[in-house]
Amino acid sequence: MANIIKAIRGMNDTAPTETPLWQWVEGKVRSVLANYGYSEVRMPIVESTPLFARAIGEVTDVVSKEMYTFWDNDEQLTLRPEGTAGCVRAAIENGWSYNNEQRLWYMGPMFRHERPQKGRYRQFHQAGVEIFGIANPEIDAELIILTARLWKELGIDKDVTLQLNSIGSLQARANYRSALVEFLQNHTVLLSDEEKERLVKNPLRILDTKNPELQKVLDDAPKLLDYLDDDSRAHFAQLCALLDSVGIAYEINPKLVRGLDYYNKTVFEWVTTALGAQGTVCGGGRYDGLVEQLGGHATPGVGFAMGLERLVLLVQEVNKNIQLPSAVDIYLVFAGEGTTVAAFQLAEKLRSELPHLRIMTHCSGGNFKKQFKRADKSGAKFALVVGESEVQNGQVVVKDLLGGTEQQTVDMANVVAYLQNKF
Ligand code: ATP
Ligand code: MG
């Protein structure tokens, strides 16, 4: 065992015991998205580096320090740190969004070179939605309503809250930026070196500060909402009214700007206090300028992405009622002359006629005692036993592994009906 090769730091394996919960969470995501008529898209994991630099913005954390980038001959490539840029690229390139409304979703791994900790990894997974061609606040509301439904399905709705803000048009933000910089200039003693740099490059990000003293000062800073253009103001008011009308609670957080450059108007985050510092489970917003910025026809866009690791952690933390199916329902054991063929034929017949059941056939020989140990370990409800006498008599023994009933000898011809009744 000396000198074994290990996984890359921050890139995790998912154990066979953990995948049932992952599949359950992913299944809920898929079914809620299907409920709303959204279509899945799949994009490459690697894209050309300038796509992210242009879409996300050079001065963001993601582009400036978190990307896995490498040269492939004379082309610079990056493992995708998020899905929006690639989805917009694909929509433009394939004409998906041209003169068309699209409600798209994707799910898969993302890569960011961050310091690994609970809820923060270097390879992680997101499910994301991108909507093209709809400028109205109705669709912003639909996205939020859809996520709220998902939280209910996952049993975590009591543990997440919605933070909402509007960051207005590019022009409104530029006006606000000047006012904020002017305000912060009187408080530079409170700024870290990184924040001083942000004051020049990306001052709105200072609103995200973790420094409590600075946070307090920022309570008196100019508010982005006071700088909104009329169009953004009306959009935000309609969104809030729609959320009110369906009973979705939200907190307007004037400091919420989100890390990425491409947003305008609506921004939102679903946050939890149950996961420590990594509290944001889902974030999104509107990006009306992005398609054009990446060379497409001007097309409004809005979307969100959720972190699946954080959702799985949260479900584990707060939803104790999930019944995850065991991997095996029936374990088939056999020993003796002529039993291999009979057992395999029986297993295939059951898989054809009872396709919802999971049937594992013992494959590693040994006596019945050893085989029953395996059967117990598999988590199966029943063992089916095929011995020489069963083959001769055209029968099979059904043993209740959870101990509810006596073992039964059933005619081969009746075994499908017998098992159908048991599940
Ligand atoms: P954070 O503030 O936690 O770094 P972010 O603003 O960088 O999040 P987004 O780019 O908005 O995150 O990504 C959407 C979601 O993806 C996040 O809300 C989070 O749930 C998840 N996420 C982002 N980075 C990671 C990571 N390194 N590991 C696990 N999940 C992540
Ligand atoms: Mg981040």
Side-chain angles (χ1 to χ4, degrees), residues 115-266:
R115 193 171 67 79
Q117 50 198 297
K118 183 181 172 190
R120 190 176 298 284
Y121 311 98
R122 291 182 171 175
Q123 174 171 332
F124 62 100
H125 298 78
Q126 284 184 341
V129 164
E130 314 295 346
I131 310 286
F132 296 106
I134 309 180
N136 291 357
E138 282 88 332
I139 192 71
D140 307 34
E142 177 172 290
L143 290 188
I144 290 171
I145 293 167
L146 173 164
T147 47
R149 178 176 294 277
L150 177 60
W151 312 147
K152 267 213 184 85
E153 287 284 321
L154 294 173
I156 58 172
D157 50 309
K158 304 280 185 297
D159 297 87
V160 289
T161 54
L162 175 61
Q163 305 254 313
L164 194 60
N165 195 19
S166 174
I167 59 171
S169 65
L170 213 60
Q171 186 56 52
R173 225 153 45 249
N175 296 342
Y176 173 70
R177 184 186 157 123
S178 314
L180 181 66
V181 170
E182 197 176 315
F183 173 85
L184 285 169
Q185 233 114 42
N186 299 322
H187 301 281
T188 44
V189 283
L190 289 177
L191 300 182
S192 65
D193 287 347
E194 195 182 7
E195 284 161 349
K196 281 188 184 130
E197 204 177 305
R198 281 186 175 163
L199 191 58
V200 182
K201 290 185 172 165
N202 196 358
L204 269 58
R205 286 305 307 280
I206 298 175
L207 297 173
D208 280 348
T209 185
K210 300 276 182 294
N211 171 0
E213 235 183 311
L214 183 56
Q215 279 176 343
K216 207 151 164 255
V217 165
L218 283 168
D219 287 340
D220 299 323
K223 301 275 177 293
L224 189 42
L225 284 174
D226 296 330
Y227 285 75
L228 289 193
D229 50 295
D230 290 345
D231 184 29
S232 301
R233 195 182 296 279
H235 187 100
F236 192 55
Q238 285 175 50
L239 169 60
C240 291
L242 251 172
L243 294 179
D244 292 338
S245 72
V246 292
I248 291 184
Y250 51 88
E251 185 188 331
I252 295 179
N253 176 358
K255 291 182 191 160
L256 178 67
V257 293
R258 311 246 325 121
L260 313 180
D261 266 4
Y262 50 59
Y263 289 110
N264 70 308
K265 290 185 177 162
T266 313

Side-chain angles (χ1 to χ4, degrees), residues 4 18 41 46 184 215 238 242 247 273 297 310 372 379 411:
I4 49 172
E18 296 167 325
V41 284
V46 184
L184 285 169
Q215 279 176 343
Q238 285 175 50
L242 251 172
T273 53
H297 296 267
R310 292 185 195 179
F372 277 121
D411 281 345

Side-chain angles (χ1 to χ4, degrees), residues 78-89:
T78 292
L79 302 185
R80 63 182 187 191
E82 50 105 63
T84 304
C87 189
V88 171
R89 195 254 328 124

Side-chain angles (χ1 to χ4, degrees), residues 92-135:
I92 297 169
E93 188 172 339
N94 301 304
W96 297 338
S97 59
Y98 181 61
N99 253 341
N100 202 4
E101 291 183 4
Q102 289 282 10
R103 291 164 162 89
L104 308 176
W105 68 269
Y106 52 83
M107 183 144 63
M110 306 291 162
F111 302 83
R112 297 187 193 179
H113 197 276
E114 304 197 70
R115 193 171 67 79
Q117 50 198 297
K118 183 181 172 190
R120 190 176 298 284
Y121 311 98
R122 291 182 171 175
Q123 174 171 332
F124 62 100
H125 298 78
Q126 284 184 341
V129 164
E130 314 295 346
I131 310 286
F132 296 106
I134 309 180

